[in-house]
Amino acid sequence: MKPVDFIIVGQGLAGTSLAIRLLDAGKSVLVIDEAKEQTASLVSSGIINPITGRRYVKSWMFDQLLSEALHFYRLMERRWGIEVIKPKRVLRALSNVLEENLWSGQSGKQDYKDFFGKIIKDKVYTQAFNNKVVFGEVRNSYQVDIPGLILNARKELKNRGVFIQERVLDSDIHIEDIISIKNYKTKHAIFAEGWKVINNPFFKKLPFDPTKGEVIIADLEDYNLEDIIKNQKFILPYSKGGYWIGSTNENGVDNNLPNAKKRNELHDFITACVKGNYRIMQEWTAVRPSTKQRRPILGAHPSLKNIFLFNGLGTKGASLAPYFSKMLVKHILKGDQILNDVDINRHLF
Ligand SMILES: Cc1cc2nc3c(=O)[nH]c(=O)nc-3n(C[C@H](O)[C@H](O)[C@H](O)COP(=O)(O)OP(=O)(O)OC[C@H]3O[C@@H](n4cnc5c(N)ncnc54)[C@H](O)[C@@H]3O)c2cc1C
């Protein structure tokens, strides 16, 4: 069999965005994914939130990232005739005067004006919760249907005959001038395996910090809000019914097994804060591919120049993947530079 230009290992958000860009650049591609159900991309709520953290600061590189994300996801909407990205208001709980004051202070900053809306004290919102809160409105926020994007891309890859559902083991990879992975031959391999990169023989020494998250999909009897609410945890309508509630954080993990204690944290949150009875519909566990520096890592292996990495999307894959997949593809195909903050070469192996 003739070698393909690229084999991509992993078809989460990272591998999907690369595959689309390489196919559209006229390259031959083969994508290999073990197709597990509870991956970071498939359980993600897909929120793009410009204002984050306890001090309500603008997210890193937000303007550039959002512009490329809107462009890329809208192309995918036209490609498959589906909705991928929609504007969605985030309402951030402010639980005391200090938080309200901080919020008001930040909202007055010149380059923050597009992102801060009004403080909402409307009973429709405040009475949905047991804890005393008002809400700060975050504007220019979005929700991306990441599972929908991945599953539509997988359908296209299968139709093109370039998707293989298998797990890649170390022993399946042989590197020479032509690389072979599971007996498929390629000129270049790109690894986009999410948190499982910690087992990858070429890249496992990089500073990854996999962070496990638990999620609950629940029917909330007396709750009826359409916005994305951040009141300690996120609560937002789930596309297949009920509400997506999450998530938890557990750093430095090496497995994706459910953590009962962390799940209870979500149950306790619902019981304490959300009014009315609830019924659990689903419980999911997945691991975010975070890094110690909280920045993606991309580029070629320092000594094996036909092997590449695209990883470290962490908690913000929805905004990071379009911009940095474009950067990596331009680097590989045209020799364009990779931004220093995310360049694999800034790390020691
Ligand atoms: C609970 C939770 C909530 C989140 N919410 C948000 C949010 O609101 N907004 C946001 O922007 N981000 C969010 N994220 C983060 C976002 O989901 C991730 O940044 C992104 O999905 C990571 O994509 P990825 O492709 O790098 O990894 P993954 O989604 O993990 O994909 C990796 C793929 O590689 C495959 N794979 C791995 N190893 C192998 C192998 N050896 N052989 C074959 N296949 C392999 C896996 O099966 C998987 O399909 C959330 C994550 C979690 C866990």
Side-chain angles (χ1 to χ4, degrees):
M1 196 178 151
K2 206 172 138 224
V4 291
D5 295 322
F6 292 89
I7 286 182
I8 300 172
V9 180
Q11 197 236 327
L13 189 52
T16 299
S17 48
L18 287 175
I20 298 285
R21 291 194 185 283
L22 288 166
L23 285 168
D24 288 358
K27 301 296 164 189
S28 55
V29 170
L30 187 68
V31 179
I32 310 180
D33 192 291
E34 60 183 337
K36 295 275 185 207
E37 280 176 14
Q38 291 182 32
T39 63
S41 299
L42 293 180
V43 314
S44 173
S45 46
I47 301 166
I48 296 185
N49 185 5
I51 300 297
T52 55
R54 290 208 180 117
R55 308 215 53 85
Y56 315 133
V57 290
K58 196 166 147 189
S59 195
W60 177 66
M61 285 185 62
F62 187 77
D63 299 326
Q64 296 99 304
L65 297 181
L66 179 65
S67 159
E68 188 54 47
L70 287 170
H71 181 69
F72 179 76
Y73 293 130
R74 284 179 181 152
L75 279 177
M76 297 309 105
E77 291 182 333
R78 289 201 286 278
R79 191 180 190 107
W80 300 310
I82 58 165
E83 185 177 47
V84 176
I85 186 163
K86 56 183 170 206
K88 205 88 173 75
R89 204 160 67 141
V90 172
L91 298 184
R92 176 98 193 231
L94 308 172
S95 45
N96 54 48
V97 177
L98 280 180
E99 289 183 3
E100 268 188 66
N101 287 345
L102 182 60
W103 185 268
S104 302
Q106 291 292 84
S107 67
K109 286 188 177 168
Q110 188 54 34
D111 59 339
Y112 278 31
K113 287 209 162 72
D114 290 346
F115 304 105
F116 282 78
K118 48 189 181 299
I119 290 187
I120 295 172
K121 301 189 174 177
D122 190 325
K123 283 188 179 152
V124 174
Y125 296 93
T126 54
Q127 286 189 351
F129 296 96
N130 290 322
N131 55 339
K132 284 230 169 306
V133 281
V134 299
F135 290 93
E137 179 191 23
V138 183
R139 291 164 54 207
N140 266 309
S141 39
Y142 293 84
Q143 186 178 16
V144 178
D145 179 6
I146 301 178
L149 174 89
I150 303 238
L151 298 176
N152 276 278
R154 191 164 298 169
K155 205 177 339 162
E156 177 177 335
L157 295 170
K158 282 183 177 169
N159 287 341
R160 288 173 180 252
V162 299
F163 181 82
I164 309 286
Q165 183 177 335
E166 278 183 51
R167 181 172 184 195
V168 174
L169 304 172
D170 291 4
S171 53
D172 296 325
I173 309 170
H174 302 280
I175 311 283
E176 287 161 27
D177 283 347
I178 291 294
I179 301 165
S180 94
I181 300 182
K182 287 192 168 292
N183 295 328
Y184 301 103
K185 309 267 184 246
T186 182
K187 295 174 197 159
H188 313 88
I190 312 183
F191 290 93
E193 313 130 291
W195 75 275
K196 289 191 175 172
V197 68
I198 60 169
N199 304 316
N200 182 307
F202 309 106
F203 298 111
K204 64 181 169 193
K205 291 195 179 140
L206 288 163
F208 292 106
D209 182 20
T211 307
K212 194 185 284 183
E214 307 285 337
V215 175
I216 285 179
I217 306 295
D219 185 13
L220 306 174
E221 204 175 77
D222 296 340
Y223 184 94
N224 187 22
L225 296 181
E226 282 299 307
D227 303 286
I228 298 171
I229 303 285
K230 172 88 193 287
N231 180 4
Q232 301 173 28
K233 304 289 181 200
F234 278 104
I235 307 184
L236 51 142
Y238 180 56
S239 55
K240 294 179 184 154
Y243 289 88
W244 188 106
I245 301 164
S247 51
T248 57
N249 284 303
E250 188 186 353
N251 290 95
V253 296
D254 62 1
N255 67 73
N256 55 357
L257 302 171
N259 179 329
K261 208 168 140 202
K262 290 282 178 184
R263 271 192 182 168
N264 283 339
E265 200 179 301
L266 292 181
H267 289 250
D268 291 348
F269 160 73
I270 304 174
T271 317
C273 291
V274 187
K275 290 218 171 112
N277 294 324
Y278 70 95
R279 181 177 61 85
I280 302 291
M281 299 162 72
Q282 309 253 16
E283 292 186 292
W284 295 327
T285 309
V287 182
R288 304 170 188 90
S290 303
T291 61
K292 297 243 161 70
Q293 289 82 9
R294 301 290 179 256
R295 294 285 177 264
I297 305 181
L298 43 138
H301 188 279
S303 52
L304 301 163
K305 294 294 178 193
N306 49 359
I307 297 210
F308 298 86
L309 177 76
F310 186 34
N311 209 303
L313 299 183
T315 57
K316 295 187 178 156
S319 55
L320 295 169
Y323 188 89
F324 287 109
S325 60
K326 185 175 184 180
M327 184 175 283
L328 180 59
V329 166
K330 282 172 81 178
H331 172 72
I332 298 172
L333 301 184
K334 298 184 177 164
D336 286 9
Q337 276 217 319
I338 290 178
L339 181 75
N340 187 43
D341 284 353
V342 301
D343 192 339
I344 195 168
N345 290 310
R346 68 197 294 262
H347 302 282
L348 293 173
F349 277 72

